Amino acid sequence: MSDRVQQAFGLAHQPFDKDIPVDLLWMDQGRQQALDRLVTTVQHHQHAIVLGESGVGKTCVQRALHEQLSPVHYRVQYVVHVTLGPRDFYRQLCYALGIEPKANPRRHVRGHPARVHLCRHRAPRSQRAGARRGPDATLGHLHLLTNFRWDSEPLLSLVLVGLPELHDRMRLGVHRSLLTRIHTKVDITPGSPEMTAAYVRKRLEDAGAKNELFTADALAVLHELCGGLLRSIDVLALAALRLAAEKDLRLIDRDVVRQALHQTPLG
């Protein structure tokens, strides 16, 4: 965010930036309950799936989960999987665990002596037919990571994170073995109008705002246009701040929010 905006509204730092300390993450009641369930699941060496629309705040819950797990007892690895085939996925997992991948990376992962209690896996989002075949093959291998020493010892706690369609895909027969090994399903849903207002006010307060910067009707329009998705709220609220600074306004109303919408990809 430009210095002009910070100076215009007396802000110490960017209110809607991604680079935010974990202790300032937005954790409303629903997200806190989701976090508590995930922590309990991992502590019991079990597996979970986290579902939600793009921009709803799944990463927020993941960061909070990472912070909640003691590094003394848990080694957290974040493995991004979009269109990787099984071999490349195991190779990426080897690198994440600090294992030099050899000719058979799958064998090296399963034979690794270190206890890995959490491997976060971002599910594929591509809807192209060519991309679906590779990830489906990889999903078919994940149940092998949950079946260690005749299903008697957990090698890791697997947390699958993706769009709601991921659950539909996993209910197909080909992924049934993996689905039946997952103990917890967490749905992250878009927020209510009250949540949108509280979220914007908190982010601005954390950034050093001393007064209300958005009118009540501006916050209502902001929610209407963003549908309660945190990522979209960040984009539009920042655009509204910039537009207000350009116009030398100190209070943002609904008209400013609607005008700012056309300066974002959301419009």
Side-chain angles (χ1 to χ4, degrees):
M1 182 168 55
S2 67
D3 290 341
R4 179 178 179 181
V5 173
Q6 289 180 223
Q7 292 172 3
F9 297 103
L11 304 178
H13 58 80
Q14 302 181 23
F16 300 103
D17 192 26
K18 291 181 178 294
D19 185 16
I20 180 174
V22 175
D23 60 333
L24 295 181
L25 288 172
W26 173 255
M27 295 297 293
D28 59 5
Q29 182 178 5
R31 285 168 179 75
Q32 186 60 53
Q33 291 176 347
L35 173 62
D36 293 342
R37 292 179 61 201
L38 289 173
V39 170
T40 299
T41 298
V42 173
Q43 287 176 340
H44 286 82
H45 303 164
Q46 296 173 340
H47 314 290
I49 182 171
V50 180
L51 303 170
E53 295 293 345
S54 179
V56 79
K58 299 186 295 296
T59 302
C60 172
V61 174
Q62 291 179 73
R63 288 187 62 193
L65 174 61
H66 189 181
E67 184 71 12
Q68 287 283 315
L69 298 175
S70 168
V72 176
H73 301 99
Y74 299 92
R75 179 175 179 179
V76 179
Q77 298 295 343
Y78 181 29
V79 180
V80 180
H81 162 45
V82 179
T83 58
L84 294 178
R87 183 180 182 84
D88 289 334
F89 171 73
Y90 279 110
R91 184 176 297 276
Q92 183 176 344
L93 187 56
C94 279
Y95 287 128
L97 299 178
I99 309 170
E100 181 64 29
K102 305 292 185 179
N104 189 340
R106 170 185 161 189
R107 177 173 59 83
H108 283 275
V109 169
R110 289 177 60 77
H112 187 48
R115 292 294 299 273
V116 184
H117 294 294
L118 177 64
C119 168
R120 289 185 292 173
H121 165 89
R122 187 174 296 279
R125 298 188 178 190
S126 173
Q127 297 301 310
R128 294 178 298 158
R132 282 200 301 265
R133 288 193 293 269
D136 274 337
T138 305
L139 283 174
H141 277 257
L142 290 181
H143 79 276
L144 299 176
L145 296 176
T146 67
N147 181 7
F148 189 61
R149 291 185 179 173
W150 292 11
D151 219 4
S152 64
E153 181 179 347
L155 174 67
L156 52 78
S157 289
L158 188 67
V159 179
L160 299 170
V161 183
L163 298 173
E165 302 89 86
L166 174 62
H167 190 212
D168 295 332
R169 291 179 57 197
M170 292 185 62
R171 294 172 69 180
L172 299 176
V174 66
H175 300 311
R176 197 69 182 176
S177 181
L178 175 60
L179 183 63
T180 56
R181 286 179 164 85
I182 294 177
H183 303 78
T184 302
K185 181 171 79 74
V186 172
D187 292 297
I188 309 296
T189 59
S192 64
E194 293 75 18
M195 187 225 73
T196 296
Y199 172 75
V200 171
R201 288 182 177 124
K202 181 182 186 304
R203 295 298 297 268
L204 289 170
E205 181 180 345
D206 291 341
K210 304 301 183 183
N211 303 305
E212 291 280 356
L213 300 184
F214 286 78
T215 64
D217 61 347
L219 292 172
V221 170
L222 185 66
H223 175 80
E224 175 187 336
L225 297 175
C226 296
L229 299 176
L230 297 185
R231 189 182 303 156
S232 298
I233 294 171
D234 289 344
V235 171
L236 185 52
L238 177 56
L241 285 172
R242 286 174 172 161
L243 183 58
E246 292 174 3
K247 296 184 174 214
D248 199 25
L249 300 175
R250 294 295 176 265
L251 190 62
I252 299 169
D253 61 19
R254 62 189 303 161
D255 291 333
V256 174
V257 174
R258 291 192 182 279
Q259 293 171 31
L261 177 68
H262 300 293
Q263 298 183 3
T264 74
L266 304 175

